[in-house]
Amino acid sequence: MMKLVIRSSLILVGSIPALGHLEELSLLQLRATGLSSSEERGEPLASDNRSVFGTAFKHTKHGIVAAALGYQKCGTTMMSDTLKLHPDVIKVGAKELHYLAGPEAMFHCQRAGSAASPEEFYQDCFEGQSPMLGQALLDFTPSYGIPQYLQSFKANVEALQKKGALFRFVAVLREPAQRAVSSMGMKRKNNEGNYGNMSNEELDSELFRKLSNHELGGGASRFITDGHYVDSLEGWLQSFSKDSLLVVNNAALNDAITWRRIYKHLGLALPSDGEIEEMMTTSNSNYQALQASKYEAANTEPYKASEELMKRLRKHYVPYNKRLWKLLKVSPWW
Protein backbone atom coordinates (compact mmCIF):
# COMPACT_ATOMS: atom_id res chain seq x y z
CA MET A 1 0.00 0.00 0.00
CA MET A 2 1.58 3.26 -1.13
CA LYS A 3 0.79 6.63 0.35
CA LEU A 4 0.11 9.63 -1.83
CA VAL A 5 2.46 12.42 -0.86
CA ILE A 6 0.55 15.71 -0.75
CA ARG A 7 2.44 18.83 -1.73
CA SER A 8 -0.07 21.63 -1.34
CA SER A 9 -1.85 23.64 1.29
CA LEU A 10 -4.39 20.83 1.62
CA ILE A 11 -3.52 17.95 3.88
CA LEU A 12 -5.34 14.68 3.25
CA VAL A 13 -4.84 11.77 5.59
CA GLY A 14 -5.03 8.19 4.40
CA SER A 15 -3.65 5.96 1.69
CA ILE A 16 -4.46 4.88 -1.83
CA PRO A 17 -4.39 1.41 -3.40
CA ALA A 18 -1.26 0.02 -4.98
CA LEU A 19 -0.69 1.08 -8.58
CA GLY A 20 -2.28 -2.07 -9.92
CA HIS A 21 -5.59 -0.90 -8.47
CA LEU A 22 -5.29 2.82 -9.16
CA GLU A 23 -7.67 2.53 -12.10
CA GLU A 24 -10.48 2.02 -9.62
CA LEU A 25 -9.81 5.27 -7.79
CA SER A 26 -10.68 8.68 -9.19
CA LEU A 27 -8.28 11.45 -8.21
CA LEU A 28 -10.64 14.20 -9.29
CA GLN A 29 -11.05 15.16 -5.62
CA LEU A 30 -7.28 15.54 -5.33
CA ARG A 31 -6.70 18.12 -8.06
CA ALA A 32 -5.20 20.57 -5.60
CA THR A 33 -2.45 18.11 -4.73
CA GLY A 34 -0.86 18.42 -8.14
CA LEU A 35 -0.66 22.17 -8.69
CA SER A 36 0.38 25.07 -6.54
CA SER A 37 -1.48 28.39 -6.68
CA SER A 38 1.16 29.86 -9.00
CA GLU A 39 1.04 26.83 -11.30
CA GLU A 40 -2.74 27.09 -11.53
CA ARG A 41 -2.14 30.37 -13.35
CA GLY A 42 -0.36 28.45 -16.08
CA GLU A 43 3.16 29.57 -15.30
CA PRO A 44 5.95 28.16 -17.50
CA LEU A 45 7.69 24.97 -16.49
CA ALA A 46 11.48 24.89 -16.07
CA SER A 47 13.65 24.60 -19.16
CA ASP A 48 16.89 22.59 -18.91
CA ASN A 49 18.38 19.33 -20.15
CA ARG A 50 15.16 17.46 -19.27
CA SER A 51 12.53 19.49 -21.12
CA VAL A 52 11.63 22.91 -22.53
CA PHE A 53 8.46 24.93 -23.06
CA GLY A 54 5.13 23.84 -21.59
CA THR A 55 3.09 25.30 -18.76
CA ALA A 56 1.38 23.91 -15.70
CA PHE A 57 -2.18 23.33 -16.86
CA LYS A 58 -5.41 23.34 -14.88
CA HIS A 59 -8.54 21.70 -16.24
CA THR A 60 -11.47 24.10 -15.93
CA LYS A 61 -14.29 22.51 -17.93
CA HIS A 62 -13.48 18.93 -18.89
CA GLY A 63 -10.54 16.67 -19.66
CA ILE A 64 -7.98 16.83 -22.46
CA VAL A 65 -6.57 14.90 -25.38
CA ALA A 66 -2.79 14.58 -25.02
CA ALA A 67 -1.24 14.31 -28.49
CA ALA A 68 2.43 13.46 -29.03
CA LEU A 69 4.32 14.87 -32.01
CA GLY A 70 6.28 11.69 -32.60
CA TYR A 71 8.98 11.03 -33.43
CA GLN A 72 9.40 7.38 -34.41
CA LYS A 73 11.84 5.51 -32.13
CA CYS A 74 12.13 8.44 -29.73
CA GLY A 75 10.32 6.96 -26.74
CA THR A 76 6.62 7.62 -27.32
CA THR A 77 5.77 4.00 -26.51
CA MET A 78 7.49 4.20 -23.13
CA MET A 79 5.84 7.54 -22.42
CA SER A 80 2.40 6.29 -23.45
CA ASP A 81 2.72 3.09 -21.40
CA THR A 82 3.85 5.03 -18.33
CA LEU A 83 1.06 7.58 -18.63
CA LYS A 84 -1.52 4.80 -18.89
CA LEU A 85 -0.54 3.70 -15.37
CA HIS A 86 -1.90 7.02 -14.08
CA PRO A 87 -5.47 6.58 -12.77
CA ASP A 88 -6.82 9.63 -14.63
CA VAL A 89 -5.59 8.55 -18.07
CA ILE A 90 -8.38 6.75 -19.91
CA LYS A 91 -7.06 3.46 -21.29
CA VAL A 92 -8.93 3.11 -24.58
CA GLY A 93 -7.96 3.51 -28.21
CA ALA A 94 -4.81 2.55 -30.09
CA LYS A 95 -1.53 4.19 -29.11
CA GLU A 96 -1.14 5.64 -32.63
CA LEU A 97 -4.45 6.85 -34.03
CA HIS A 98 -3.07 8.86 -36.99
CA TYR A 99 -6.49 10.53 -36.90
CA LEU A 100 -5.40 14.17 -36.80
CA ALA A 101 -2.95 13.75 -39.69
CA GLY A 102 -5.91 13.43 -42.05
CA PRO A 103 -7.12 10.79 -44.52
CA GLU A 104 -3.77 10.65 -46.35
CA ALA A 105 -2.15 9.02 -43.30
CA MET A 106 -2.75 5.56 -41.90
CA PHE A 107 -5.32 5.60 -39.13
CA HIS A 108 -7.13 3.39 -36.65
CA CYS A 109 -10.39 5.33 -36.50
CA GLN A 110 -13.61 5.32 -38.48
CA ARG A 111 -13.10 8.70 -40.18
CA ALA A 112 -9.62 10.19 -40.24
CA GLY A 113 -9.80 13.85 -39.30
CA SER A 114 -13.41 14.31 -40.38
CA ALA A 115 -15.31 14.37 -37.09
CA ALA A 116 -17.86 17.18 -36.95
CA SER A 117 -17.59 17.45 -33.16
CA PRO A 118 -15.48 16.30 -30.22
CA GLU A 119 -18.18 13.73 -29.47
CA GLU A 120 -17.73 12.16 -32.91
CA PHE A 121 -13.96 12.24 -32.39
CA TYR A 122 -14.31 10.39 -29.09
CA GLN A 123 -16.74 7.93 -30.67
CA ASP A 124 -14.46 7.29 -33.65
CA CYS A 125 -11.25 6.81 -31.71
CA PHE A 126 -11.93 6.28 -28.00
CA GLU A 127 -14.94 3.97 -27.90
CA GLY A 128 -17.18 6.93 -27.15
CA GLN A 129 -15.42 7.85 -23.90
CA SER A 130 -14.96 11.57 -23.37
CA PRO A 131 -12.49 12.89 -20.77
CA MET A 132 -14.04 14.27 -17.61
CA LEU A 133 -12.52 17.02 -15.49
CA GLY A 134 -8.92 16.08 -14.64
CA GLN A 135 -8.76 13.17 -17.10
CA ALA A 136 -6.82 12.66 -20.33
CA LEU A 137 -7.06 10.62 -23.51
CA LEU A 138 -3.85 9.74 -25.39
CA ASP A 139 -2.94 9.84 -29.07
CA PHE A 140 0.80 9.23 -29.54
CA THR A 141 1.23 9.21 -33.31
CA PRO A 142 4.76 9.71 -34.76
CA SER A 143 3.45 11.16 -38.05
CA TYR A 144 2.11 14.22 -36.22
CA GLY A 145 5.67 15.49 -36.05
CA ILE A 146 6.27 15.21 -39.80
CA PRO A 147 6.11 18.51 -41.75
CA GLN A 148 4.01 17.06 -44.59
CA TYR A 149 1.14 16.41 -42.17
CA LEU A 150 1.30 19.74 -40.34
CA GLN A 151 -1.47 21.50 -42.25
CA SER A 152 -3.90 18.60 -41.85
CA PHE A 153 -2.97 18.27 -38.19
CA LYS A 154 -3.49 22.00 -37.58
CA ALA A 155 -6.82 22.10 -39.41
CA ASN A 156 -8.21 19.06 -37.58
CA VAL A 157 -7.05 20.24 -34.15
CA GLU A 158 -8.40 23.76 -34.67
CA ALA A 159 -11.76 22.44 -35.90
CA LEU A 160 -12.15 20.32 -32.78
CA GLN A 161 -10.90 23.12 -30.52
CA LYS A 162 -13.59 25.44 -31.87
CA LYS A 163 -16.18 22.86 -30.78
CA GLY A 164 -14.73 22.70 -27.26
CA ALA A 165 -12.05 19.98 -27.34
CA LEU A 166 -8.90 20.65 -25.30
CA PHE A 167 -5.47 19.55 -26.51
CA ARG A 168 -2.05 19.46 -24.87
CA PHE A 169 1.01 18.44 -26.86
CA VAL A 170 4.24 16.61 -26.09
CA ALA A 171 7.28 16.04 -28.33
CA VAL A 172 9.99 13.53 -27.40
CA LEU A 173 13.44 13.98 -28.95
CA ARG A 174 16.26 11.43 -29.10
CA GLU A 175 19.84 11.83 -30.29
CA PRO A 176 19.11 11.64 -34.05
CA ALA A 177 21.88 9.26 -35.13
CA GLN A 178 20.71 6.73 -32.53
CA ARG A 179 17.12 7.29 -33.67
CA ALA A 180 18.01 6.55 -37.31
CA VAL A 181 19.82 3.33 -36.38
CA SER A 182 16.98 2.25 -34.10
CA SER A 183 14.47 2.87 -36.88
CA MET A 184 16.48 0.70 -39.27
CA GLY A 185 16.80 -2.01 -36.63
CA MET A 186 13.03 -1.97 -36.11
CA LYS A 187 12.55 -2.87 -39.78
CA ARG A 188 14.68 -6.00 -39.35
CA LYS A 189 13.03 -6.93 -36.06
CA ASN A 190 9.58 -6.62 -37.63
CA ASN A 191 10.71 -8.48 -40.75
CA GLU A 192 9.58 -5.67 -43.04
CA GLY A 193 10.38 -5.91 -46.73
CA ASN A 194 13.91 -7.07 -47.43
CA TYR A 195 15.20 -5.88 -44.07
CA GLY A 196 14.31 -9.06 -42.19
CA ASN A 197 17.23 -11.08 -43.55
CA MET A 198 19.86 -8.32 -43.57
CA SER A 199 23.04 -8.56 -41.52
CA ASN A 200 24.40 -5.62 -39.52
CA GLU A 201 26.83 -4.88 -42.37
CA GLU A 202 24.00 -4.88 -44.92
CA LEU A 203 21.91 -2.57 -42.75
CA ASP A 204 24.93 -0.27 -42.46
CA SER A 205 25.21 -0.17 -46.26
CA GLU A 206 21.52 0.54 -46.64
CA LEU A 207 21.60 3.42 -44.18
CA PHE A 208 24.80 4.77 -45.78
CA ARG A 209 23.02 4.67 -49.13
CA LYS A 210 19.95 6.51 -47.86
CA LEU A 211 22.10 9.17 -46.21
CA SER A 212 24.21 9.68 -49.34
CA ASN A 213 21.13 9.89 -51.57
CA HIS A 214 19.64 12.49 -49.27
CA GLU A 215 22.78 14.62 -49.12
CA LEU A 216 23.27 14.43 -52.90
CA GLY A 217 19.67 15.44 -53.57
CA GLY A 218 18.66 12.00 -54.74
CA GLY A 219 15.58 11.80 -52.55
CA ALA A 220 14.64 12.22 -48.93
CA SER A 221 14.26 9.26 -46.61
CA ARG A 222 12.40 9.36 -43.31
CA PHE A 223 15.19 7.24 -41.85
CA ILE A 224 17.20 10.47 -42.11
CA THR A 225 14.70 13.35 -42.13
CA ASP A 226 12.76 12.24 -39.05
CA GLY A 227 15.85 13.35 -37.10
CA HIS A 228 15.63 16.88 -38.51
CA TYR A 229 13.56 17.84 -35.48
CA VAL A 230 14.07 21.57 -35.93
CA ASP A 231 12.38 21.55 -39.34
CA SER A 232 9.11 20.22 -37.94
CA LEU A 233 9.24 22.16 -34.67
CA GLU A 234 9.80 25.47 -36.48
CA GLY A 235 6.70 24.89 -38.57
CA TRP A 236 4.72 23.59 -35.63
CA LEU A 237 5.52 26.62 -33.45
CA GLN A 238 4.27 28.93 -36.20
CA SER A 239 0.87 27.31 -35.82
CA PHE A 240 0.63 26.61 -32.09
CA SER A 241 1.77 28.24 -28.87
CA LYS A 242 4.89 26.88 -27.18
CA ASP A 243 2.91 26.99 -23.92
CA SER A 244 0.80 24.10 -25.21
CA LEU A 245 3.88 22.03 -26.13
CA LEU A 246 6.29 20.28 -23.78
CA VAL A 247 9.49 19.16 -25.56
CA VAL A 248 11.09 16.28 -23.65
CA ASN A 249 14.59 14.82 -23.85
CA ASN A 250 14.32 11.06 -24.34
CA ALA A 251 17.41 10.60 -22.13
CA ALA A 252 15.51 12.18 -19.22
CA LEU A 253 12.55 9.79 -19.29
CA ASN A 254 14.09 7.86 -16.39
CA ASP A 255 13.97 10.97 -14.18
CA ALA A 256 11.05 11.57 -11.81
CA ILE A 257 11.47 15.35 -12.22
CA THR A 258 10.78 14.97 -15.94
CA TRP A 259 7.61 13.05 -15.21
CA ARG A 260 6.41 15.64 -12.71
CA ARG A 261 6.66 18.21 -15.51
CA ILE A 262 4.77 15.94 -17.90
CA TYR A 263 1.95 15.44 -15.39
CA LYS A 264 1.79 19.17 -14.67
CA HIS A 265 1.75 20.03 -18.35
CA LEU A 266 -1.17 17.66 -18.89
CA GLY A 267 -2.96 18.85 -15.77
CA LEU A 268 -2.90 15.41 -14.16
CA ALA A 269 -2.78 14.95 -10.39
CA LEU A 270 0.77 14.31 -9.22
CA PRO A 271 1.65 10.89 -7.81
CA SER A 272 4.44 10.75 -5.26
CA ASP A 273 8.02 10.34 -6.45
CA GLY A 274 7.92 6.75 -5.23
CA GLU A 275 4.86 6.02 -7.33
CA ILE A 276 6.43 7.69 -10.34
CA GLU A 277 9.52 5.51 -9.90
CA GLU A 278 7.33 2.40 -9.73
CA MET A 279 5.42 3.40 -12.85
CA MET A 280 8.67 4.02 -14.75
CA THR A 281 10.06 0.66 -13.63
CA THR A 282 6.86 -1.18 -14.56
CA SER A 283 6.54 0.33 -18.04
CA ASN A 284 10.24 -0.15 -18.79
CA SER A 285 10.16 -3.77 -17.64
CA ASN A 286 7.08 -4.47 -19.77
CA TYR A 287 8.67 -2.78 -22.79
CA GLN A 288 11.93 -4.71 -22.48
CA ALA A 289 10.04 -8.00 -22.16
CA LEU A 290 7.96 -7.21 -25.24
CA GLN A 291 11.03 -6.29 -27.29
CA ALA A 292 12.85 -9.44 -26.19
CA SER A 293 9.91 -11.57 -27.34
CA LYS A 294 9.88 -9.80 -30.72
CA TYR A 295 13.59 -10.40 -31.27
CA GLU A 296 13.15 -14.04 -30.30
CA ALA A 297 10.21 -14.44 -32.68
CA ALA A 298 12.21 -12.83 -35.50
CA ASN A 299 15.29 -14.92 -34.62
CA THR A 300 17.47 -11.82 -34.69
CA GLU A 301 19.32 -9.41 -32.40
CA PRO A 302 19.30 -5.64 -31.95
CA TYR A 303 21.05 -3.85 -34.78
CA LYS A 304 24.44 -2.42 -33.77
CA ALA A 305 25.71 0.09 -36.34
CA SER A 306 29.39 0.52 -37.11
CA GLU A 307 31.24 3.44 -35.59
CA GLU A 308 32.00 4.70 -39.10
CA LEU A 309 28.28 4.98 -39.83
CA MET A 310 27.57 6.62 -36.47
CA LYS A 311 30.25 9.26 -37.12
CA ARG A 312 28.79 9.97 -40.55
CA LEU A 313 25.27 10.30 -39.17
CA ARG A 314 26.35 12.56 -36.31
CA LYS A 315 28.18 14.81 -38.76
CA HIS A 316 25.07 15.06 -40.92
CA TYR A 317 22.93 16.17 -37.98
CA VAL A 318 25.34 18.85 -36.65
CA PRO A 319 23.74 21.84 -38.47
CA TYR A 320 20.23 20.66 -37.64
CA ASN A 321 21.14 20.24 -33.98
CA LYS A 322 22.65 23.74 -33.84
CA ARG A 323 19.42 25.22 -35.16
CA LEU A 324 17.46 23.08 -32.70
CA TRP A 325 19.33 24.34 -29.64
CA LYS A 326 18.88 27.91 -30.85
CA LEU A 327 15.13 27.35 -31.28
CA LEU A 328 14.75 25.69 -27.88
CA LYS A 329 17.15 28.14 -26.19
CA VAL A 330 18.93 25.41 -24.22
CA SER A 331 22.40 23.94 -24.00
CA PRO A 332 22.85 20.84 -26.20
CA TRP A 333 21.10 17.72 -24.93
CA TRP A 334 23.50 15.43 -26.80
Side-chain angles (χ1 to χ4, degrees):
M1 197 76 72
M2 290 181 297
K3 295 181 179 179
L4 181 64
V5 177
I6 306 303
R7 293 179 173 86
S8 75
S9 58
L10 295 181
I11 300 177
L12 303 179
V13 179
S15 61
I16 63 174
L19 282 172
H21 302 287
L22 283 177
E23 296 86 352
E24 302 172 6
L25 178 67
S26 171
L27 293 187
L28 300 183
Q29 303 93 331
L30 305 183
R31 291 298 306 118
T33 69
L35 300 173
S36 70
S37 59
S38 62
E39 289 163 341
E40 289 170 359
R41 294 195 293 270
E43 291 193 354
L45 299 174
S47 291
D48 53 25
N49 64 344
R50 298 181 182 90
S51 66
V52 299
F53 303 155
T55 57
F57 180 71
K58 181 180 180 181
H59 299 237
T60 57
K61 296 180 180 180
H62 50 74
I64 66 161
V65 175
L69 311 182
Y71 300 80
Q72 189 181 73
K73 305 308 295 179
C74 280
T76 54
T77 297
M78 191 271 194
M79 180 179 283
S80 174
D81 289 348
T82 304
L83 282 172
K84 285 181 178 179
L85 294 173
H86 191 287
D88 287 336
V89 172
I90 302 175
K91 301 156 190 65
V92 296
K95 175 212 164 209
E96 300 177 13
L97 297 176
H98 298 265
Y99 184 92
L100 299 168
E104 65 271 28
M106 295 174 58
F107 60 92
H108 295 279
C109 307
Q110 296 176 31
R111 308 168 272 217
S114 62
S117 67
E119 289 71 27
E120 282 191 2
F121 176 39
Y122 303 144
Q123 185 63 48
D124 283 355
C125 299
F126 299 106
E127 301 177 10
Q129 295 200 44
S130 58
M132 297 174 62
L133 188 68
Q135 293 183 322
L137 293 163
L138 303 183
D139 179 4
F140 277 37
T141 301
S143 62
Y144 293 163
I146 307 306
Q148 73 186 83
Y149 296 125
L150 176 60
Q151 292 307 312
S152 294
F153 180 80
K154 177 184 177 184
N156 291 325
V157 168
E158 288 180 345
L160 290 168
Q161 285 177 325
K162 290 178 180 178
K163 298 293 182 65
L166 295 175
F167 287 87
R168 301 290 282 174
F169 306 106
V170 180
V172 191
L173 309 185
R174 180 183 182 183
E175 194 283 314
Q178 293 178 1
R179 192 220 64 81
V181 168
S182 182
S183 183
M184 180 66 76
M186 180 181 68
K187 296 294 185 181
R188 181 171 71 180
K189 176 188 64 181
N190 294 342
N191 198 27
E192 296 183 29
N194 297 323
Y195 296 106
N197 296 320
M198 287 186 175
S199 65
N200 283 356
E201 292 74 18
E202 289 171 326
L203 290 178
D204 275 2
S205 296
E206 181 68 8
L207 201 47
F208 264 123
R209 184 183 66 81
K210 292 181 181 298
L211 178 59
S212 297
N213 283 348
H214 174 81
E215 292 181 338
L216 295 173
S221 167
R222 282 192 55 182
F223 282 106
I224 306 302
T225 59
D226 275 15
H228 299 167
Y229 307 128
V230 66
D231 288 344
S232 60
L233 287 175
E234 282 178 341
W236 196 92
L237 289 171
Q238 292 175 4
S239 301
F240 298 95
S241 165
K242 68 180 182 180
D243 291 346
S244 65
L245 172 68
L246 182 68
V247 182
V248 177
N249 183 356
N250 165 279
L253 284 177
N254 60 351
D255 189 330
I257 294 176
T258 306
W259 281 99
R260 291 178 67 81
R261 292 179 190 172
I262 294 170
Y263 293 130
K264 288 180 180 180
H265 180 70
L266 301 181
L268 294 170
L270 289 183
S272 70
D273 285 352
E275 291 165 337
I276 293 174
E277 292 286 349
E278 182 167 340
M279 286 189 278
M280 288 191 298
T281 299
T282 298
S283 62
N284 184 62
S285 176
N286 292 341
Y287 179 80
Q288 295 301 328
L290 176 62
Q291 295 308 306
S293 67
K294 288 184 176 181
Y295 283 115
E296 182 178 2
N299 192 28
T300 188
E301 296 179 353
Y303 166 41
K304 182 174 176 57
S306 67
E307 187 55 36
E308 181 184 4
L309 174 59
M310 294 303 295
K311 288 180 179 179
R312 177 79 179 277
L313 285 167
R314 293 187 186 111
K315 181 179 179 180
H316 169 82
Y317 287 117
V318 166
Y320 297 95
N321 289 337
K322 287 182 177 179
R323 289 170 50 210
L324 177 65
W325 309 137
K326 183 176 180 180
L327 177 69
L328 301 184
K329 298 181 180 180
V330 293
S331 299
W333 286 354
W334 47 77

